[in-house]
């Protein structure tokens, strides 16, 4: 059994190595996505308020400016407040039904003057450094290959989950040999060497110890990242059916809503009126479920479903970067259509919220972000040392 697991660990590791090196390096960078993006693009992501007490314009006025500046597109996703006094407002635009592709889809607006600072086609590296961080995000999530890359990373994530358990098993001390020298009987005493690194030993032993102990110390966190990668890449195909065998999930409120044959460019109820109704619905839901509202952050219109979606950060959120509490209302009548709570509503969604939030380092502040950065480098180290160990043994067998 042990020999078979060694072979399985070896070849699974070789299949995963290139993917995990890319994922580890890009993940270590993406922990600092927003500060690095602002550093690279100060002209787009840095604004100066006219005065210390300046108030930003209404987000709906800013949305109208974006809508007027791009008549062939629809600004259906908007922020409701700038992230800070020096941050721009972001809007995502999409082409009209049947319209041509747009040269940009993410627009940045000065919240005080209403001036459009510029935009970018999110993730298009041909635009140069402006899109460096979005491109790294695409590379991390799907090798910048779209659906094919998402599936590839999803399959590798499944192999990674399996290999976490195989790797841990292989660190256990082998059974007592009949003909070999006697070994200590206590399991823990025999397992202790697997946690140590012989720094003064030869290069091969040092690499072997780095690979073995380097996978043991952060093992639980590695498993969290492996399984959360499955949740992100193969949520519908693998994660939810598997987790659904033991846990419950909330139903998507938009599943049963028919798709519009001729969607309206704007919500018939009006953007501001729709927001007020959605906000009232959020407050009612908060009173019913017993959570508090910290900030209303984003607002979106889904023309194909004739639905408005309000996104807020509440006490139900574990994600400290952006809220994942959502309410949906009809874009014509304002009737409530449903909601989604990241925790406390369904056990499967609560677990998923924790997994994905840990994965993107959106809690725990600076110490956890540093830990995740180091973990990304550890993943690279484990992949590189694994390949080096295999190559040395291959040469020895030859």
């Amino acid at each position: 059994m042990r020999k078979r697991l060694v072979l399985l660990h070896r070849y699974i590791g070789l299949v995963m190595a290139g993917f995990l090196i890319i994922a580890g390096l890009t993940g270590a960078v993406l922990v600092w996505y927003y500060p690095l993006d602002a550093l690279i693009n100060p002209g787009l992501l840095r604004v100066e308020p006219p005065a210390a007490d300046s108030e930003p314009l209404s987000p709906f006025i800013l949305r109208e400016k974006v809508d007027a500046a791009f008549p062939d597109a629809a600004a259906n996703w908007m922020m409701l407040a700038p992230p800070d006094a020096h941050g721009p407002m972001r809007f995502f635009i999409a082409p009209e039904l049947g319209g041509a592709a747009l040269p940009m889809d993410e627009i940045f607006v000065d919240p005080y003057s209403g001036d459009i600072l510029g935009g970018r086609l999110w993730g298009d590296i041909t635009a140069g450094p402006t899109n460096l961080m979005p491109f790294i995000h695409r590379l991390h999530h799907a090798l910048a290959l779209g659906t094919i890359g998402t599936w590839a990373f999803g399959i590798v994530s499944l192999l990674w989950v399996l290999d976490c358990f195989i790797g841990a098993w292989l660190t256990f001390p082998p059974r007592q040999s009949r003909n070999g020298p006697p070994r200590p009987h206590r399991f823990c005493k025999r397992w202790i060497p697997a946690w140590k690194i012989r720094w003064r030993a030869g290069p091969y032993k040092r690499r072997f110890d780095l690979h073995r102990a380097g996978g043991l110390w952060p093992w639980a966190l590695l498993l969290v990242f492996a399984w959360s990668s499955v949740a992100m890449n193969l949520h519908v195909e693998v994660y939810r059916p598997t987790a659904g065998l033991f846990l419950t999930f909330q139903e998507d409120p938009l599943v049963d809503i028919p798709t519009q044959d001729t969607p309206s460019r704007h919500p018939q109820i009006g953007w501001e009126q729709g927001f007020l109704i959605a906000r009232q619905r959020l407050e009612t839901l908060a009173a019913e479920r017993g959570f508090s509202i910290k900030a209303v952050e984003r607002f979106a219109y889904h023309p194909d479903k004739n639905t408005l979606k309000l996104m807020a950060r509440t006490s139900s959120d574990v994600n400290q970067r952006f809220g994942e509490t959502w309410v949906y209302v009809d874009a014509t009548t304002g009737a409530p259509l449903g909601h989604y709570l990241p925790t406390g509503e369904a056990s499967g969604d609560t677990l998923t919220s924790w997994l994905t939030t840990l994965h993107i380092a959106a809690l725990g502040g600076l110490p956890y972000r540093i830990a995740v950065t180091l973990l990304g480098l550890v993943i690279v180290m484990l992949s590189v040392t694994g390949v080096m160990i295999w190559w040395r043994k291959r040469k020895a067998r030859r």
Side-chain angles (χ1 to χ4, degrees):
M1 173 64 75
R2 190 176 187 86
K3 290 180 179 179
R4 290 170 181 162
L5 289 178
V6 167
L7 286 174
L8 195 58
H9 179 66
R10 178 186 304 163
Y11 291 112
I12 287 178
L14 289 174
V15 170
M16 296 191 304
F19 291 93
L20 292 186
I21 288 172
I22 293 173
L25 289 174
T26 55
V29 174
L30 286 176
V31 171
W32 313 97
Y33 180 97
Y34 292 102
L36 287 177
D37 201 21
L39 183 66
I40 296 169
N41 300 295
L44 293 177
L45 297 169
R46 181 81 176 177
V47 298
E48 292 299 331
D53 57 349
S54 296
E55 292 292 332
L57 297 172
S58 164
F60 299 102
I61 293 176
L62 298 178
R63 199 210 68 82
E64 289 175 2
K65 289 180 177 290
V66 173
D67 205 42
F70 298 92
D72 297 329
N76 289 332
W77 188 100
M78 59 184 291
M79 294 174 65
L80 294 170
D84 54 65
H86 299 282
M89 294 284 274
R90 297 174 189 243
F91 295 84
F92 277 96
I93 60 175
E96 292 286 353
L97 187 64
L102 300 173
M104 59 181 67
D105 55 11
E106 186 179 16
I107 310 301
F108 302 94
V109 181
D110 187 319
Y112 304 101
S113 67
D115 295 336
I116 295 177
L117 303 173
R120 61 187 176 187
L121 188 60
W122 195 88
D124 181 13
I125 194 57
T126 60
T130 299
N131 255 323
L132 179 60
M133 293 308 296
F135 176 74
I136 290 175
H137 187 283
R138 289 184 59 213
L139 198 62
H140 180 80
H141 181 68
L143 295 174
L145 295 176
T147 303
I148 294 175
T150 301
W151 270 95
F153 258 133
I155 293 170
V156 167
S157 300
L158 286 170
L159 292 174
W160 191 10
V161 172
L162 174 63
D163 201 48
C164 279
F165 292 100
I166 295 175
W169 175 270
L170 292 176
T171 67
F172 296 164
R175 292 182 178 181
Q176 181 76 38
S177 174
R178 288 184 178 180
N179 302 321
R183 299 192 183 104
H185 293 291
R186 291 184 61 185
F187 174 85
C188 292
K189 191 173 182 180
R190 293 166 56 201
W191 195 28
I192 286 175
W195 296 80
K196 297 179 179 180
I197 299 173
R198 294 166 288 183
W199 292 107
R200 296 182 180 180
Y204 175 76
K205 289 183 178 179
R206 192 162 51 245
R207 284 196 297 267
F208 181 84
D209 289 352
L210 280 169
H211 187 75
R212 182 174 60 178
L216 265 179
W217 284 101
W219 184 85
L221 201 53
L222 288 171
L223 181 61
V224 165
F225 272 69
W227 188 234
S228 60
S229 297
V230 176
M232 291 176 169
N233 290 76
L234 299 177
H235 185 86
V236 175
E237 297 83 1
V238 176
Y239 175 80
R240 182 155 176 168
T242 304
L245 297 174
F246 313 97
L247 305 171
T248 58
F249 287 87
Q250 300 167 79
E251 293 299 326
D252 184 354
L254 302 185
V255 167
D256 297 327
I257 297 177
T259 302
Q260 302 290 308
D261 295 327
T262 55
S264 174
R265 177 181 171 86
H266 299 290
Q268 296 181 33
I269 198 173
W271 280 91
E272 291 192 64
Q273 181 66 17
F275 165 72
L276 293 174
I277 292 174
R279 174 62 192 257
Q280 185 177 18
R281 172 57 187 156
L282 177 65
E283 291 172 352
T284 302
L285 184 66
E288 293 174 352
R289 295 294 195 275
F291 62 82
S292 59
I293 302 169
K294 297 180 180 179
V296 286
E297 298 176 332
R298 295 152 290 153
F299 195 44
Y301 170 50
H302 298 274
D304 58 328
K305 296 289 187 176
N306 192 40
T307 300
L308 289 166
K309 177 182 178 181
L310 177 63
M311 294 158 273
R313 185 160 45 90
T314 71
S315 57
S316 291
D317 286 284
V318 293
N319 190 324
Q320 297 172 356
R321 190 179 302 159
F322 53 84
E324 296 178 306
T325 300
W326 307 332
V327 294
Y328 300 84
V329 297
D330 188 283
T332 300
T333 64
L337 298 176
H339 64 269
Y340 173 85
L341 298 181
T343 63
E345 190 83 349
S347 56
D349 294 312
T350 299
L351 175 63
T352 305
S353 296
W354 277 101
L355 286 174
T356 53
T357 302
L358 286 169
H359 191 111
I360 65 174
L363 81 169
L366 182 62
Y368 183 67
R369 280 189 285 168
I370 293 173
V372 173
T373 301
L374 294 176
L375 184 70
L377 299 179
V378 167
I379 290 170
V380 174
M381 181 273 293
L382 292 173
S383 301
V384 172
T385 53
V387 172
M388 293 174 72
I389 292 168
W390 164 78
W391 182 253
R392 186 183 184 280
K393 289 186 175 181
R394 182 174 181 271
K395 287 178 66 177
R397 284 194 300 271
R398 282 189 165 186

